[in-house]
Amino acid sequence: MKGCLFCCVEDEVKVVQNSLAFAMYDSYPVTPLHCLVIPKRHVEDFFQLTQDELLACNELLSVMRRNSLSQDTTIEGFNVGVNIGDVAGQTIFHCHIHLIPRRRGDVENPKGGIRHLMPGKGYY
């Protein structure tokens, strides 16, 4: 789609790809090796993906997880996330899945994980 940042990603930026999706490192990483898995078809959100696209994206999430673990032995966990809609923080309206490596001590207290999106809801 004309004007879409993810529809015109150059091949040299793609870390790995299959017939329906590709992975690249995030331009504004939350942690080192933070990457995105992106369907090749222009689709606005995760819930519009076909079953085949979901499987293709999942395959690349697994590949990038293995790549990250082999590159950095301090990684002990991951957050996987998708923002759907502007009220959820989506800024590029082409579906993309974040894979964020986590390391012990990268935040003071990780308990609650993604619940921290809503202030005061992370600790329960």
Side-chain angles (χ1 to χ4, degrees), residues 7-115:
C7 284
C8 59
V9 171
E10 300 290 332
D11 280 340
E12 59 267 11
V13 175
K14 298 173 183 175
V15 178
V16 65
Q17 63 183 313
N18 55 35
S19 63
L20 298 176
F22 65 92
M24 62 182 271
Y25 290 108
D26 194 292
S27 297
Y28 302 95
V30 173
T31 66
L33 299 175
H34 173 179
C35 67
L36 304 174
V37 172
I38 304 166
K40 291 181 178 179
R41 179 174 68 96
H42 183 85
V43 56
E44 189 169 303
D45 76 55
F46 181 83
F47 294 111
Q48 296 170 334
L49 295 175
T50 66
Q51 191 67 30
D52 287 341
E53 288 168 329
L54 287 167
L55 291 171
C57 288
N58 191 58
E59 175 189 341
L60 296 184
L61 285 167
S62 294
V63 168
M64 292 306 292
R65 176 186 172 275
R66 285 192 304 274
N67 287 353
S68 295
L69 290 169
S70 70
Q71 290 180 57
D72 185 343
T73 59
T74 66
I75 296 170
E76 294 185 41
F78 290 88
N79 290 107
V80 178
V82 182
N83 302 321
I84 301 168
D86 61 345
V87 300
Q90 186 175 5
T91 56
I92 299 173
F93 291 89
H94 181 131
C95 177
H96 53 288
I97 305 163
H98 294 262
L99 179 64
I100 303 171
R102 299 298 303 274
R103 296 150 183 93
R104 191 161 304 282
D106 61 5
V107 296
E108 187 176 324
N109 183 355
K111 184 178 179 179
I114 62 168
R115 291 175 172 269

